[in-house]
Amino acid sequence: MNFRFLHSSDLHLGKAFGAYPEAIRNRLREARHGSIARLAHAARQGGATTVLLAGDTFDAETPSPETLRHALRAMAAERDLTWIMLPGNHDSLAASELWRRIATDGPDNLRAVTDAAPFEIAPRVTVLPAPCTQRRPGRDLTESMGAATPAGHLRIGLGHGAITDFSGEEGVAGIIPPDRATLSGLDYLALGDWHGRMRIGAATWYAGTPEADGFKHDTNAGALLVSLGGSLEVDVVETGHFSWRSLAVDLLPGDDALSRLAGVLPTVDKRRDMLVRLIVSGRLPLAERTALEQEALAIAPDFGWFEHDFGGLAADTRPDDLDRIDRAGALRQAAERLLAEAQDEARSLADREISASALARLYAIALEVQK
């Protein structure tokens, strides 16, 4: 026998993206909603009729009525597919009203998993779920995956939580054993929680979010097309609309800074759907640093969102650079003060960058006035 399904997680529908400007916030939220249709397309293209959502379908335990309604209607529209929705830590079973509304308003092709009882999703294929009971259960909920199933059945674990410490805090132990698939006799363990795709073992995977939501992960957002039967096959299917990229450029005097910048940037036609964080380090003459910062400001509107960080880029400033601003008077005094602040290692890196940017801006204005 052979059974195919699509493994996804962490849609985080309704995520606010409050740290970003309103225009891109709205587009990011809409892209998350659109991931439902893209997952459906990926499933069909791969010959799957079942989509397993391994938790955190919603970003909060109390999504807005519009967010919930639109999600349920989007799944209903993909009526040829079966959606299996597991509570995660963001939308745990503690959100009793959310799961009551899903049970009441959800379409017939959606199964919300609200207990740990195994259930059959296809002939001789059983899902062993571990729904999150609350945001921090404090125990290994996947122990329930050791439950017995009929002989000859494929066993698919469906869980949400950490195998390794994703928080970065010392002393925080992972609560799901990395060998859970072996311990519980699973043919595949579909996990959610980690927003980047991660292979824990041949039969244990984090699918990652189908629509990227930050710069932390360097893999393209997608889902996993899983085939069980004669052998296990796991194929990555890209589903993301937006691309998030951190770009690093290290410069030295003599480098063509503008050419180096152009070399790491995507072509213009791809920029609208990209969020970019540009990090520039090294050392340049003040005139070239100023030109580079002006270029960064000029191209920023091409992107969905663009931020540049020149905190690690020092400027070699000569006396004649300050002379270009002014030879005496208030402007010269301001330039000298900004230069001193930018080079003062007793100040924080952020404060030095503010002073360096201000000096570059003053330099650019002075050159513009002199034209």
Side-chain angles (χ1 to χ4, degrees):
M1 65 176 296
N2 184 275
F3 179 69
R4 285 190 172 191
F5 62 93
L6 195 72
H7 168 201
S8 184
S9 71
D10 296 279
L11 277 66
H12 285 272
L13 301 175
K15 186 177 177 69
F17 293 100
Y20 295 90
E22 182 178 358
I24 191 62
R25 282 204 308 267
N26 293 336
R27 295 184 63 210
L28 291 171
R29 287 195 292 264
E30 184 58 29
R32 303 205 78 74
H33 173 73
S35 66
I36 295 174
R38 293 193 295 277
L39 287 172
H41 176 75
R44 290 191 195 95
Q45 290 292 104
T49 59
T50 302
V51 181
L52 300 185
L53 301 177
D56 285 359
T57 300
F58 299 97
D59 190 57
E61 295 182 343
T62 55
S64 71
E66 294 79 13
T67 295
L68 177 58
R69 183 180 182 88
H70 293 164
L72 298 180
R73 295 299 179 267
M75 292 178 192
E78 314 295 347
R79 62 185 75 249
D80 57 321
L81 301 177
T82 298
W83 301 83
I84 309 297
M85 185 188 296
L86 185 82
N89 62 317
H90 279 253
D91 52 10
S92 73
L93 288 174
S96 55
E97 177 61 16
L98 168 62
W99 294 100
R100 184 196 68 78
R101 288 162 61 195
I102 292 173
T104 301
D105 301 334
D108 293 339
N109 63 334
L110 168 64
R111 176 163 187 158
V113 183
T114 55
D115 61 56
F119 59 92
E120 197 169 334
I121 56 172
R124 300 176 64 191
V125 180
T126 297
V127 170
L128 297 102
C132 282
T133 54
Q134 55 192 21
R135 191 173 183 91
R136 295 179 179 84
R139 61 189 178 88
D140 177 17
L141 299 173
T142 66
E143 288 182 349
S144 65
M145 294 178 184
T149 56
H153 273 223
L154 293 173
R155 294 165 56 86
I156 302 172
L158 182 62
H160 188 94
I163 280 180
T164 58
D165 174 20
F166 296 144
S167 71
E169 299 177 11
E170 293 185 5
V172 178
I175 60 172
I176 300 176
D179 57 349
R180 169 54 65 200
T182 299
L183 292 172
S184 297
L186 303 175
D187 294 283
Y188 183 81
L189 176 53
L191 291 175
D193 189 36
W194 186 240
H195 288 199
R197 188 166 49 255
M198 184 187 296
R199 179 184 185 272
I200 302 301
T204 303
W205 285 76
Y206 285 95
T209 178
E211 180 63 39
D213 56 6
F215 295 100
K216 187 172 184 178
H217 306 289
D218 59 3
T219 56
N220 291 332
L224 299 174
L225 182 66
V226 183
S227 179
L228 297 177
S231 61
L232 170 63
E233 296 180 9
V234 180
D235 295 315
V236 176
V237 183
E238 293 186 9
T239 58
H241 178 79
F242 281 98
S243 177
W244 300 62
R245 292 288 181 267
S246 288
L247 305 176
V249 180
D250 187 55
L251 298 168
L252 292 173
D255 287 345
D256 186 336
L258 296 182
S259 294
R260 289 284 304 281
L261 174 61
V264 301
L265 293 174
T267 57
V268 174
D269 60 307
K270 296 181 179 180
R271 294 181 181 182
R272 185 174 186 271
D273 295 330
M274 290 191 70
L275 291 89
V276 169
R277 175 175 291 156
L278 174 66
I279 302 171
V280 183
S281 58
R283 180 175 293 277
L284 284 177
L286 177 59
E288 294 180 27
R289 186 194 193 282
T290 300
L292 187 64
E293 185 153 4
Q294 292 299 106
E295 178 65 11
L297 293 171
I299 63 175
D302 292 345
F303 294 85
W305 183 84
F306 184 93
E307 175 185 73
H308 67 274
D309 177 2
F310 284 14
L313 181 63
D316 287 333
T317 305
R318 302 183 301 270
D320 59 326
D321 290 327
L322 299 188
D323 289 344
R324 298 290 300 274
I325 296 173
D326 206 344
R327 292 184 177 277
L331 281 181
R332 178 58 179 247
Q333 292 175 10
E336 290 175 346
R337 180 175 178 180
L338 289 172
L339 176 60
E341 291 175 348
Q343 296 175 341
D344 183 359
E345 294 187 0
R347 304 175 75 230
S348 70
L349 184 63
D351 286 343
R352 279 182 279 157
E353 163 59 10
I354 291 172
S355 297
S357 292
L359 179 59
R361 182 61 178 156
L362 182 60
Y363 183 86
I365 292 172
L367 294 188
E368 185 67 25
V369 170
Q370 294 166 20
K371 286 184 179 179

